[in-house]
Amino acid sequence: MAATEPNRRRTDLRLAPAALLVWAATVAGPWLTPGILLLVWGSLAACAGVLLARLLRRKKAEGRWRRSFLTTLTAALMLAAASTAHSAVSSAQRHDEQVAGLIAARASVVAEAEITGAPRALKMPGPSGRAERWAVAAVVRSFTSGGQVMHAHLPVVIIGGQEWQHAGPGQLLRVTGKLRPPDPGRVEAAILTASSPPVRLASQDWQQGPAALGKRFASAAAWLAPDASGLLPGMVTGDTGGLSEELETAMKTVGLTHLTAVSGANCSLILGTLLLAARSLRLARIPAAAVALAGLGLFVLMVGPDASVLRASLMGAIALASLAGGRAGRGLSFLCLAVIALLLVEPDLGVSFGFLLSVLATLGIIVLGRCILGWFPPSVPRWVAAAVAVPLSAQVLCGPVIVVLQPQFSTYSLLANVLVAPLVAPVTILGTAAVALLPLVPWLSAVLIGLAGFFAGAVAAIARFTAGLPGAAPPWPEGVFGLLTMLLFSVVTLLAVWMAAHPAGTIKLVLATHAGTARLLDRLPEATFCRGGPSVRGRLRVCNPNPGRNHQWPLPSNDRRRPPPIRRHGGT
């Protein structure tokens, strides 16, 4: 058993090339034309075919499949070719002559669109302080312009008034507005500025039910204190409509933005709680996993298909399936599988900064979290070490990307995350239970809302306190220089944490560095620090402190001259 332990814990990198190639193909999709994408697809498919033929010949000669780097590379090329084909189809739809002409001409159209994302408020508050413009992702099924009807499958972003904040995923709406081109590199084909309220044509009831339950939960929590009533729906159902601008700014200042909406931690907590509850009812491993996955699916429908939620839910499902099959570990492989599956199903995530930050945070926890956790001595409680290691490992990789998006440094981010870590689980578990009990036992749901609201208020208080400390958000350099300096700062931070956790090792390192520096100076062929006079090999010479003199001490061993006398004031 001892011999196999290192192998069980080693990092499995076999799926990393496939994930990187698929991600590169999805990122190239919005930038390249259909012809270039088709050429890239042909090259990837040809390389994959050549390698597959070679693997088949090897299998025929040896009589079995053999796991090797060649097998992994073949699978990576095949997956990248599939992703490139998906990007080529989307690019062809965006570059259609009729549709592209309407977008370039900024034509007025009547469109039938299916909502694919949750509405988000734009940062243009009106006189009342509330957002008056909202943006929502959608897919246009048909256009009507100039009496001509065109069918399409075109991703767009609809920008409209306050009536669009109630749009939900799965709704089929009719909207009148004007098209305009998006910024370069965006996945959407156009921006549709609505000039009329949406008209509902149809909706997917199976998707609207959980979403309506989430909105009902926000109304049921309105009796709480202002901070708690605004933050609790965001942490439980992803509804941030009641979050005040001051609290949102404080959360952003101290690096707690991931708590203002549902994140991967929420999915992990929900999945683990459901699994433990099912196992406590003496369900077998596979039925318990099925119950947990069903509950997680309802939770994702309720909060909406956000990038981080989709990533966390799919990764949790893969890990749970492996545990149900009797195999544990290899978190990096699970992350690569989640990335590949999500990008093949939804290539738009490839250019999403939210998805990138979500993957980097998970990668940091998987790769660095275990190492940082092992730095702490046995005298430190395990939960204290984990409370520091998990946010630190995530922030080390996310920091360079965050400063590119927002050039400022969150001085107390680690402190705030450590302080709120024990409060996230009660808010998520109690709040989710309150959502489920709201239509069945309203009074019990109100009790759970009160308890969850207490912990949510504590999170808000910590955010406001740490954001009010001196130097909470100093500016940081922008662009590539800011990214590189944050990378250097992350390395220095890890080194400082290691030195604090290993004082004896730090002293040994300092002494070893001093000894190495001394040996290096001794080996220097010549060191001259004064002007004039012969060079002294292997020795450091001290210049005469009296200006105007050029004598040096100590003198060479073959020089018998006596040093000049030192004159003192008031005597000889």
Side-chain angles (χ1 to χ4, degrees):
M1 181 62 68
T4 60
E5 184 70 15
N7 293 332
R8 189 181 70 85
R9 290 191 175 185
R10 67 181 180 182
T11 303
D12 192 350
L13 298 174
R14 288 177 294 178
L15 290 176
L20 292 176
L21 281 176
V22 171
W23 203 333
T26 57
V27 170
W31 294 94
L32 303 180
T33 61
I36 298 179
L37 287 173
L38 188 61
L39 181 62
V40 173
W41 171 82
S43 302
L44 293 173
C47 294
V50 172
L51 294 180
L52 182 60
R54 183 176 178 180
L55 288 175
L56 291 176
R57 288 197 302 268
R58 178 184 295 179
K59 177 183 178 295
K60 185 177 181 180
E62 299 179 358
R64 62 183 182 87
W65 285 104
R66 188 176 64 180
R67 293 186 297 179
S68 62
F69 175 76
L70 191 62
T71 305
T72 304
L73 182 59
T74 303
L77 291 174
M78 294 174 66
L79 291 171
S83 180
T84 306
H86 196 300
S87 299
V89 173
S90 300
S91 179
Q93 293 174 347
R94 289 196 301 270
H95 288 81
D96 181 78
E97 292 185 2
Q98 289 184 328
V99 175
L102 289 177
I103 297 173
R106 300 176 181 264
S108 297
V109 297
V110 177
E112 292 185 1
E114 180 182 351
I115 304 301
T116 58
R120 57 183 177 87
L122 299 180
K123 296 182 178 180
M124 293 184 297
S128 62
R130 299 180 59 187
E132 295 185 351
R133 304 292 288 174
W134 291 74
V136 59
V139 174
V140 173
R141 293 184 175 181
S142 64
F143 286 112
T144 302
S145 178
Q148 185 178 7
V149 179
M150 291 169 288
H151 296 280
H153 185 82
L154 203 67
V156 299
V157 172
I158 301 176
I159 298 179
Q162 294 186 4
E163 61 273 5
W164 284 92
Q165 63 179 308
H166 304 295
Q171 294 180 349
L172 183 61
L173 306 175
R174 180 184 293 118
V175 54
T176 302
K178 181 175 291 186
L179 296 172
R180 62 181 176 89
D183 295 332
R186 301 292 300 178
V187 294
E188 59 268 10
I191 306 295
L192 178 57
T193 303
S195 57
S196 65
V199 178
R200 181 177 298 184
L201 302 178
S203 62
Q204 300 178 9
D205 295 334
W206 61 271
Q207 194 170 359
Q208 289 299 309
L213 188 60
K215 295 180 180 178
R216 185 178 173 183
F217 173 77
S219 300
W223 61 273
L224 297 172
D227 282 352
S229 63
L231 185 58
L232 179 60
M235 295 183 67
V236 176
T237 65
D239 186 0
T240 59
L243 192 65
S244 65
E245 185 178 355
E246 295 81 6
L247 181 56
E248 184 178 3
T249 303
M251 301 281 284
K252 184 181 297 184
T253 300
V254 295
L256 296 178
T257 311
H258 60 282
L259 297 181
T260 59
V262 175
S263 63
N266 298 78
C267 291
S268 301
L269 288 170
I270 295 299
L271 190 65
T273 303
L274 292 175
L275 183 59
L276 289 177
R279 293 292 287 173
S280 64
L281 297 176
R282 299 186 180 278
L283 291 179
R285 182 185 298 172
I286 295 180
V291 170
L293 289 177
L296 181 62
L298 292 176
F299 179 76
V300 171
L301 288 177
M302 180 180 65
V303 302
D306 187 71
S308 62
V309 177
L310 287 175
R311 188 270 313 159
S313 60
L314 183 57
M315 179 158 177
I318 294 173
L320 191 61
S322 65
L323 291 175
R327 189 177 183 183
R330 295 185 178 176
L332 184 58
S333 298
F334 297 149
L335 177 61
C336 292
L337 284 175
V339 169
I340 292 171
L342 285 172
L343 292 178
L344 289 177
V345 174
E346 193 66 31
D348 296 350
L349 294 176
V351 293
S352 170
F353 276 103
F355 181 72
L356 174 61
L357 290 174
S358 182
V359 173
L360 288 177
T362 307
L363 181 64
I365 294 172
I366 291 173
V367 177
L368 298 177
R370 184 187 296 274
C371 297
I372 298 176
L373 200 61
W375 292 350
F376 290 87
S379 58
V380 178
R382 193 72 172 176
W383 63 271
V384 175
V388 175
V390 171
L392 177 61
S393 57
Q395 291 176 20
V396 163
L397 292 188
C398 293
V401 178
I402 293 176
V403 296
V404 173
L405 299 175
Q406 183 179 357
Q408 70 178 29
F409 178 68
S410 299
T411 307
Y412 307 106
S413 176
L414 181 60
L415 174 63
N417 278 274
V418 171
L419 292 178
V420 304
L423 306 174
V424 175
V427 173
T428 303
I429 296 173
L430 295 174
T432 306
V435 173
L437 295 174
L438 188 59
L440 303 176
V441 191
W443 66 268
L444 182 56
S445 176
V447 173
L448 296 178
I449 288 175
L451 293 175
F454 171 78
F455 292 105
V459 172
I462 292 173
R464 289 185 180 274
F465 171 75
T466 51
L469 294 176
W476 196 267
E478 300 182 7
V480 178
F481 180 72
L483 186 147
L484 294 178
T485 51
M486 180 54 71
L487 281 175
L488 178 61
F489 181 79
S490 299
V491 174
V492 173
T493 301
L494 288 178
L495 181 60
V497 173
W498 184 90
M499 294 173 65
H502 298 81
T506 302
I507 295 175
K508 292 181 180 179
L509 180 63
V510 171
L511 294 177
T513 304
H514 177 268
T517 304
R519 286 194 298 269
L520 178 63
L521 292 176
D522 288 340
R523 292 176 181 176
L524 290 177
E526 184 175 299
T528 304
F529 294 91
C530 298
R531 292 180 299 174
S535 300
V536 180
R537 185 178 299 275
R539 304 179 65 185
L540 297 179
R541 298 180 297 162
V542 182
C543 295
N544 186 355
N546 297 321
R549 296 179 180 268
N550 199 28
H551 299 290
Q552 299 160 349
W553 298 276
L555 296 174
S557 58
N558 58 355
D559 194 340
R560 301 302 181 183
R561 293 179 300 168
R562 296 179 62 185
I566 300 178
R567 298 180 179 273
R568 296 182 175 88
H569 294 287
T572 58

